[in-house]
């Protein structure tokens, strides 16, 4: 990682959910710094990604869960990168497929205080069920030709993130216009002032 691109401070630690798929949002938690730096952050990510309803306690989430999600993140990033490069993913695909065999947490409809129905879970989900939901998302993404064709690498300097380009005209260039896109605009402005 190089100098100016990563002086974002606290904003670099904000959890992002703008890559277009849960599995890709998981890979974004490693860049530019480790965002899943503890069980509480993992709980926040799981709720933010919509894998559990907000406020789900996830009391069993601990260091083992964190290690398992980081490992799945690495495997997904390897498989997605290999797919984009047109090369074999090695054992990473086998590992993602193995995790995808875990059934996701069973949902249930619950009545909210305002009378509307909302999504809840039937019991406290375990780590394997939540990992399975993310791995299944990766399998579904990579086996859907239409979705796979929308995979793009960020054009930002030193940014390894991949996102799903669902923009009009398929002209999105950055994982985020507010981060990489803004850095590129600032760099372009500086170059024009020097020239």
């Amino acid at each position: 990682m190089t100098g100016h691109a990563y002086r974002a401070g606290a904003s670099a630690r904000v959890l992002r959910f703008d890559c277009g798929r849960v599995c890709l949002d998981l890979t974004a938690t490693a860049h530019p710094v480790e965002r899943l730096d503890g069980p509480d952050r993992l709980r926040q990510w799981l709720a933010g990604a919509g894998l559990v309803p907000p406020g789900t306690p996830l009391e069993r989430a601990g260091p083992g869960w964190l290690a398992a999600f980081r490992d799945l993140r690495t495997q997904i990033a390897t498989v997605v990168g290999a797919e984009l490069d047109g090369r074999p993913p090695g054992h990473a695909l086998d590992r993602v497929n193995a995790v995808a065999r875990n059934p996701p947490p069973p949902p249930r409809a619950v009545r909210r205080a305002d009378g509307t129905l909302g999504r809840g879970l039937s019991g406290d989900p375990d780590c394997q069920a939540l990992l399975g939901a993310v791995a299944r998302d990766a399998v579904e993404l990579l086996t859907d030709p239409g979705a796979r064709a929308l995979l793009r690498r960020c054009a930002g300097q030193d940014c390894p993130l991949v996102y799903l380009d669902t923009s009009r005209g398929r002209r999105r260039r950055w994982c985020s216009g507010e981060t990489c896109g803004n850095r590129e605009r600032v760099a372009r402005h500086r170059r024009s002032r020097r020239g």
Side-chain angles (χ1 to χ4, degrees):
M1 294 185 191
T2 60
H4 72 277
Y6 299 104
R7 290 191 194 132
S11 66
R13 295 184 33 77
V14 172
L15 294 172
R16 295 177 48 185
F17 303 98
D18 54 2
C19 291
R21 292 295 284 254
V22 170
C23 62
L24 298 176
D25 288 337
L26 179 61
T27 66
T29 63
H31 178 77
V33 297
E34 178 60 66
R35 294 173 187 192
L36 296 182
D37 56 2
D40 286 339
R41 292 286 282 175
L42 177 60
R43 287 184 197 98
Q44 291 170 9
W45 185 84
L46 290 166
L51 294 169
V52 298
T56 302
L58 298 173
E59 293 171 7
R60 294 181 288 168
W65 284 41
L66 197 57
F69 272 90
R70 286 177 176 174
D71 180 62
L72 180 60
R73 174 180 70 191
T74 299
Q75 305 312 316
I76 290 171
T78 300
V79 172
V80 169
E83 183 66 20
L84 287 172
D85 294 341
R87 61 180 165 75
H91 296 293
L93 182 59
D94 295 335
R95 293 177 75 180
V96 170
N97 282 331
V99 175
R101 285 194 288 255
N102 296 315
R108 68 186 184 108
V110 293
R111 187 73 58 192
R112 296 181 180 146
D114 66 359
T116 62
L117 289 176
R119 185 175 69 92
L121 299 177
S122 296
D124 191 19
D126 66 11
C127 183
Q128 294 306 309
L130 293 168
L131 287 166
V134 178
R136 284 173 180 231
D137 182 58
V139 169
E140 289 169 8
L141 170 63
L142 294 168
T143 59
D144 176 348
R148 192 177 62 233
L150 300 177
L151 285 173
R152 304 283 187 273
R153 278 199 172 96
C154 181
Q157 181 182 3
D158 298 324
C159 184
L161 298 185
V162 174
Y163 59 89
L164 207 61
D165 183 3
T166 57
S167 68
R168 187 175 182 168
R170 309 295 183 254
R171 289 185 238 165
R172 182 175 166 187
R173 295 186 51 214
W174 303 290
C175 62
S176 168
E178 290 76 39
T179 55
C180 289
N182 191 48
R183 280 195 291 264
E184 175 61 29
R185 286 186 288 275
V186 168
R188 193 180 321 133
H189 177 71
R190 287 181 182 155
R191 284 191 303 268
S192 71
R193 289 188 63 174
R194 279 188 234 138

